[in-house]
Amino acid sequence: MNKFLFIVIVLLTSISINAQDVIKIPTIDLIAYDNDAYYYLFQKDDNGNFIEIYLDKSTNKNKVISLEIQKDDSVKTLHEIQEKYDNIVHTTALAPYTLLDFKKLLSENNWMLHNSETDEKNTTLLKPITEDITSINELTYTTQLSIGLGGSIESQHDDKTEKWSIKDREFLTTLILSLGNHKYINLYFQGNSILGILLPLKNKNLLVFDDYKPMTNSNISIDDDRYNFRNKELLSYFNPEDFYKLEKDSHQYRLVNNYGTDRLKKAFDSILISPQYIIGKTSSSTSIYNFALKSIEIPSLQQVYFYHSGIEILDAEGAYYFDSEGNKILTLPPVSYFVCGTVSSSEYRIQKNKELKTPFSISTSRGSFGGILYGETLQLRNLPKNSKVSFLDNSNHFSWDGNSSYVGEINIQPKLLKVTQNGKTGIFTYDSEKAVAFKAPREYFITKSGDSILKPLPIGLDKKGYVKVTEVLPLVYDNIEMNTKDGLIYLYKEGKVGIYPNHKTTQFDSIEQITRSFYKISRDGKQGWLDIKTFNEYY
């Protein structure tokens, strides 16, 4: 934190940030900084002395950031400043830049930071993400891939060689200050705190950053292979909502950053945001942007969705994915998950006892870390005679826990039962809330003295009873089966296929999954595509 936060200040002026996220400020004539990287800004008065000025970042009621220029009420001589601080820089020493060239300097370079924890295998890297967002990454030199990436990672090739890997990262907002005469400096914010300042001097670049040593000439090409991390690694934990918001524009929306700048320069009916991509939609078009807000042109685009680290696309050529790097891929790489071991769980079993008048029953147990908390066994009444009963995936056992949905397991919907009779199949269901419990028999025993005493009811976790099933789909299908890869319930009849519950009759001659959401279909001899999120068909 900068020490000026503890000095009594007098409000001078408040400046709005313009559409380029560049602000013009009253003349800064001198910048002082200590070897512990705290910095101080001064303006020269008419008498040749200096007044300290401060930049105070705040957020208004619309969550748009503004910058207030404040000044101290005391005056210092140049000698007093030189005596108090370790280093000074006159702004006349700043190199002149066009705004475009200064932005290029910021966007095409990484910046290294050093502190007491920096050594041969540990360092810190400032790496630009977009024009106004920068990541600060703690790096370690190791053979291990994907360090500190959180709950899930995509499997990747590991050549077992030592390399720089990201151990942790945070994201900062950047802001360019224009001092006039083509002189610019760059600020780095975290929340409302200014953490650092970049000064492009005539013979070197100076980076002054809180908790790090002042660094000169620490810029390294953005394309340097040592630090050319995948976007998947760079953008882990990046939350776009911290840096962008949707601003209403009549009946549409614009994507604005924390300074109120329209970043896409266009209004949309809806805007969807992920760490890697942005999708803007109107009634007549769809626009796609990558994480750096560069437009991605797909001329024959029909539909697009996010997946965990990229986008899924359907166009005139077919269905495919773009990964986080913008590469076209046809299949998703496997994902490894880190899960919690102390979660609740449920287990379902279909049981058959031929000796009973009602042969089928369903047993349910629920528990958590440490054991079963609840159990129930219900006879399934009202099933067709001489029928076969299973879950929709043809099994008689299903388990589900607090991690299952997170790791992408398929819920086979155990309340839906596949029932087959005389070669035809349908679906039945039951409502356990309407179950009728069996009364436990009352038993007595006789004491030695001849007294008759009622035995206490057994204390157990397993409750017993019955429930009536009801028909969902009639017994008219050749087969019904849930695909455990995509979770869809397929209906088969007379050589055609449909998907329940969207279809009650079979629709297609054939259907084949190509990506998560897009399926190749054939209907009445025509080849096309099915979007299973909307069930729109494209031919």
Side-chain angles (χ1 to χ4, degrees), residues 249-502:
D249 182 0
S250 186
H251 299 295
Q252 293 184 306
Y253 298 90
R254 293 182 181 271
L255 184 75
V256 300
N257 65 7
N258 288 335
Y259 304 117
T261 303
D262 179 4
R263 298 300 282 120
L264 302 180
K265 312 300 182 189
K266 186 177 179 181
F268 297 92
D269 298 337
S270 66
I271 300 176
L272 306 173
I273 310 173
S274 78
Q276 297 84 15
Y277 291 93
I278 296 171
I279 301 172
K281 293 188 176 185
T282 68
S283 59
S284 59
S285 66
T286 298
S287 300
I288 303 173
Y289 303 84
N290 67 10
F291 71 97
L293 306 183
K294 294 181 179 179
S295 178
I296 298 173
E297 299 297 329
I298 304 176
S300 58
L301 179 69
Q302 293 175 315
Q303 188 56 277
V304 58
Y305 296 114
F306 295 130
Y307 72 91
H308 62 268
S309 62
I311 49 177
E312 179 185 12
I313 294 168
L314 178 67
D315 64 15
E317 296 181 3
Y320 54 92
Y321 303 96
F322 273 174
D323 66 12
S324 59
E325 315 300 314
N327 299 316
K328 180 178 178 179
I329 57 176
L330 299 180
T331 58
L332 296 179
V335 176
S336 300
Y337 295 93
F338 304 95
V339 298
C340 177
T342 57
V343 295
S344 60
S345 62
S346 300
E347 189 169 0
Y348 303 82
R349 291 183 183 276
I350 295 175
Q351 300 168 326
K352 183 178 182 180
N353 187 340
K354 296 180 180 180
E355 305 300 321
L356 297 179
K357 184 178 179 181
T358 306
F360 289 101
S361 62
I362 187 160
S363 177
T364 306
S365 61
R366 296 179 177 86
S368 63
F369 183 72
I372 295 175
L373 300 179
Y374 170 79
E376 180 180 65
T377 299
L378 300 176
Q379 292 180 1
L380 299 173
R381 295 188 177 180
N382 207 35
L383 285 168
K385 292 183 178 179
N386 302 317
S387 59
K388 297 178 181 179
V389 181
S390 69
F391 294 122
L392 294 178
D393 65 344
N394 296 319
S395 72
N396 59 12
H397 173 258
F398 171 66
S399 60
W400 187 260
D401 63 38
N403 293 319
S404 296
S405 177
Y406 169 67
V407 301
E409 293 181 2
I410 299 298
N411 187 332
I412 66 167
Q413 303 182 47
K415 293 293 181 71
L416 296 179
L417 304 174
K418 176 180 177 178
V419 177
T420 302
Q421 182 191 53
N422 299 327
K424 295 296 181 180
T425 300
I427 296 178
F428 286 67
T429 190
Y430 65 94
D431 185 353
S432 56
E433 297 295 322
K434 296 181 179 180
V436 178
F438 292 140
K439 293 183 178 180
R442 311 294 282 177
E443 298 183 21
Y444 296 83
F445 66 90
I446 307 300
T447 65
K448 291 182 178 180
S449 60
D451 294 328
S452 176
I453 298 178
L454 181 66
K455 286 184 179 181
L457 290 173
I459 299 176
L461 296 174
D462 191 23
K463 298 180 181 180
K464 299 183 185 303
Y466 70 88
V467 65
K468 291 184 178 180
V469 301
T470 56
E471 182 184 278
V472 176
L473 288 180
L475 297 165
V476 297
Y477 300 93
D478 298 329
N479 191 25
I480 298 175
E481 187 171 356
M482 175 182 282
N483 186 326
T484 55
K485 291 183 179 180
D486 59 20
L488 298 182
I489 302 170
Y490 291 87
L491 312 176
Y492 298 93
K493 184 179 180 183
E494 298 175 353
K496 291 184 177 291
V497 59
I499 300 174
Y500 174 83
N502 298 81

